[in-house]
Amino acid sequence: MQLFVDIYGFLSVVLRGFILAAQSVSVGGLAFLLMLVWPLMPRLGAAGAALENRALRLVFVAACGLCLAEALAGASLTLMLVGTLEIPVHEAAGARAVAVDVMAAVLAAVIAVVAWRARRGGVAIRSAAPVLAALLLGVQAGSTHAVSQFEGAYALAGAEFLHMLGAAVWIGGIPYFLLALTDVVEPQARAEVARRFSTMSVGAVAALLAGGVLMGVVYVETPHALYGTSYGLMLSAKILLLLGLLFLGGLNFLAVRQMQTEPAGPLLRTRRFAETEIGVGLTVLFCAASLSSLPPARDLPNDRASFSEIVDRLAPRLPVRLDSPDFETLSAALPPEALKNLPPGAQPPRSPADIAWSEYNHHWAGLFVVAMGVMALLERMSRRLAPIMSHWPLVFLGLAGFLFLRADEMVWPLGRLGLIESLRDPEIAQHRLLTLLIVAFGLFEWQVRRGRIKAAWAPYVFPISTAIAGAFLLTHSHALSNLKEETLIEITHTPLALVGVAAGWSRWLELRLDGRAKRIAGFVWPIAFIIAGLSLIFYREA
């Protein structure tokens, strides 16, 4: 039970991210059917029937996933309350947040049933869709920060509803737009589908921004809170991701306008940008999930990091730390009797040696990442060096080996904790997960480049793994007792997550596009790697 309580914070954020994604696809599918497929059905003919069937199937799958995720969220929250408050199960299950999860799970199940019946000829979904979507979003709005506010709770809940509705229609609708681009082959009809979805997206973006701005103003209040707290930092990351998403959406908007005059025009580019929008959009939803786990910035008036402290922490300093302190000087080497007065699960205060150890690990990891970025860049810039530089994925193995042995000093082979026992610590568990991802996509990319793996899906392992690692880094919390220090550490990790997302999806575009756009994307991700590596090399914790 204690292990579950220890990792609950990380699991709840990940689960919340899946819930937001499944909710957006479910509601987005209903909106796509309501506002696009059914009104255009007479003009789409047989293609319209096929599109409706596939859209209903995706709504069914997303709603089933949402139902399962909500049930897991309710069950895990109940267990966590039992474990921490030592109350009976039936009392924990009666908590308001658990009730919200149960209601959302029931609504998702109803949506799944209605969508399944519609595929078999049922028409109830045409009148039920707006009601079910509104109820689902309304219930979810009741589980946010809005309901805990003493003032303006209804206005904030309304803003949350508007924000989630905009995200669902826009981000959740993109997978259905891709289905439409495949099913509708007649150029004029396809252009009409693209035009209508573009109009829907513009309205959805307006709703999303209106709700988001209102919540941001209330929850953050001052510019200092935007950069001086973990909440403000995560909100800033979400805004940057949203700007990237708007950039991609703008490119697609221009492509759709071109399709009005050239119906057979930039179809490939529209599809590829839409695919990337889905990936970045899912990252935004995980960022929103992480944001929901943090207290609003205005509720933390003390212990904020100042602008000068942030500049001092981010300013590059030489020399970098390539020598580690002796293990005996670290807190992890303290004898058990020195830790007996600490509360259960608490760690001893970080010493200068602990900080030096952490910086040493980050600086070495940065050297590995810079090496990969430089080699990948040279592969593209020099035909003479390309055969050698193409082996850059093998550097991942060196990085993974270094992180496995040195990232967590308390764990075998250096510390007293065994490998399995160490997974009780959420931070260590995330480090292990990232290490496995590094090994996986390093080996895959190397084998793909050598031509030993010829499967069509193989080249996409690397970009998807990179993008997922970046998204998971946004859920990474250091959970320190010192809120200011926690913010100062997060402010160095969040940019790494953003650069990882950019690297993953630019590599995806390099694989999926052609011509000049492909070449540009091919230079973006190695540069993103170099930036990430330099950030690690100049990382400081004090």
Side-chain angles (χ1 to χ4, degrees):
M1 177 60 81
Q2 186 58 44
L3 172 61
F4 175 78
V5 172
D6 289 342
I7 64 174
Y8 175 77
F10 171 66
L11 287 178
S12 65
V13 173
V14 174
L15 204 50
R16 181 67 180 166
F18 279 113
I19 286 173
L20 290 178
Q23 170 189 292
S24 295
V25 177
S26 300
V27 175
L30 295 177
F32 193 84
L33 287 163
L34 274 169
M35 293 189 280
L36 192 149
V37 176
W38 292 330
L40 293 183
M41 188 69 85
R43 300 176 59 181
L44 299 179
L51 176 59
E52 180 189 34
N53 187 273
R54 295 181 70 191
L56 287 169
R57 183 166 57 188
L58 184 53
V59 170
F60 170 76
V61 172
C64 287
L66 177 60
C67 180
L68 178 62
E70 291 284 8
L72 285 174
S76 59
L77 178 56
T78 301
L79 283 176
M80 194 276 290
L81 293 175
V82 170
T84 55
L85 302 180
E86 297 182 351
I87 58 177
V89 173
H90 69 274
E91 289 187 19
R96 188 176 187 281
V98 176
V100 168
D101 288 329
V102 172
M103 285 190 287
V106 171
L107 283 168
V110 173
I111 291 173
V113 170
V114 172
W116 181 259
R117 290 176 63 86
R119 292 189 67 211
R120 298 174 177 273
V123 296
I125 193 171
R126 298 205 176 204
S127 56
V131 177
L132 291 172
L135 285 175
L136 181 60
L137 294 180
V139 167
Q140 296 288 19
S143 65
T144 62
H145 289 311
V147 297
S148 62
Q149 303 302 308
F150 293 111
E151 297 179 357
Y154 289 109
L156 286 170
E160 190 74 60
F161 181 93
L162 203 60
H163 194 62
M164 288 192 292
L165 176 63
V169 174
W170 179 26
I171 299 173
I174 296 173
Y176 301 91
F177 178 51
L178 278 175
L179 291 179
L181 292 179
T182 301
D183 289 341
V184 182
V185 296
E186 198 280 313
Q188 290 292 347
R190 189 167 57 209
E192 176 61 19
V193 168
R195 186 196 64 76
R196 184 170 286 237
F197 182 71
S198 180
T199 303
M200 289 169 53
S201 298
V202 170
V205 168
L208 184 147
L209 292 178
V213 168
L214 176 59
M215 289 189 292
V217 169
V218 173
Y219 291 147
V220 176
E221 280 191 335
T222 64
H224 183 194
L226 188 61
Y227 62 78
T229 65
S230 294
Y231 183 94
L233 182 62
M234 192 57 66
L235 179 61
S236 301
K238 188 181 173 189
I239 292 172
L240 289 175
L241 286 169
L242 187 62
L243 289 175
L245 203 55
L246 287 171
F247 174 73
L248 290 169
L251 293 176
N252 253 348
F253 178 80
L254 296 176
V256 167
R257 285 177 63 88
Q258 186 178 344
M259 289 174 69
Q260 304 311 306
T261 54
E262 302 174 43
L267 181 60
L268 176 68
R269 195 173 59 191
T270 303
R271 282 178 172 166
R272 302 307 175 237
F273 285 150
E275 293 168 358
T276 309
E277 280 186 80
I278 293 174
V280 178
L282 290 175
T283 308
V284 171
L285 295 176
F286 270 82
C287 190
S290 184
L291 199 60
S292 68
S293 69
L294 298 169
R298 75 169 187 179
D299 294 344
L300 299 173
N302 303 316
D303 296 323
R304 293 177 178 176
S306 68
F307 184 74
S308 60
E309 288 173 322
I310 292 172
V311 170
D312 180 68
R313 184 62 61 89
L314 295 179
R317 279 177 279 177
L318 292 173
V320 298
R321 197 183 298 274
L322 300 180
D323 294 324
S324 70
D326 294 334
F327 178 72
E328 288 71 21
T329 64
L330 304 178
S331 300
L334 291 173
E337 54 269 20
L339 308 175
K340 61 183 180 182
N341 293 326
L342 291 174
Q347 300 295 328
R350 289 170 63 79
S351 67
D354 295 328
I355 294 173
W357 175 274
S358 178
E359 291 180 354
Y360 155 83
N361 286 328
H362 283 81
H363 295 175
W364 267 104
L367 291 177
F368 281 109
V369 177
V370 166
M372 284 185 280
V374 170
M375 290 178 70
L377 200 58
L378 289 175
E379 181 189 8
R380 283 152 179 75
M381 296 176 66
S382 171
R383 291 185 179 178
R384 185 170 59 87
L385 295 175
I388 299 175
M389 296 298 122
S390 65
H391 292 292
W392 64 264
L394 291 179
V395 182
F396 275 121
L397 304 185
L399 173 63
F402 176 82
L403 293 177
F404 180 80
L405 295 173
R406 309 290 286 185
D408 297 294
E409 69 277 17
M410 295 183 296
V411 184
W412 180 91
L414 297 175
R416 289 189 288 268
L417 288 176
L419 284 178
I420 302 301
E421 186 183 6
S422 68
L423 299 179
R424 297 167 65 93
D425 187 314
E427 187 175 340
I428 296 176
Q430 291 175 63
H431 288 164
R432 297 302 182 200
L433 176 61
L434 289 175
T435 300
L436 290 176
L437 286 173
I438 290 170
V439 172
F441 66 60
L443 286 174
F444 252 96
E445 186 68 6
W446 183 57
Q447 293 289 2
V448 168
R449 286 173 176 274
R450 289 170 61 84
R452 292 183 176 178
I453 299 179
K454 301 182 183 300
W457 52 266
Y460 302 107
V461 170
F462 168 66
I464 291 176
S465 300
T466 304
I468 289 177
F472 268 84
L473 196 54
L474 288 173
T475 69
H476 185 91
S477 171
H478 289 83
L480 303 178
S481 56
N482 186 325
L483 294 178
K484 181 193 292 186
E485 195 57 34
E486 180 181 332
T487 302
L488 288 171
I489 291 180
E490 301 294 349
I491 207 167
T492 59
H493 283 70
T494 302
L496 291 175
L498 298 177
V499 170
V501 172
W505 290 111
S506 57
R507 172 59 177 163
W508 176 275
L509 286 175
E510 182 189 16
L511 292 171
R512 301 285 285 171
L513 284 171
D514 56 15
R516 185 164 175 263
K518 177 185 181 73
R519 289 194 296 275
I520 293 174
F523 280 98
V524 169
W525 69 264
I527 293 174
F529 262 58
I530 293 173
I531 294 173
L534 291 174
S535 299
L536 289 167
I537 287 174
F538 294 114
Y539 172 81
R540 286 287 186 277
E541 286 191 14

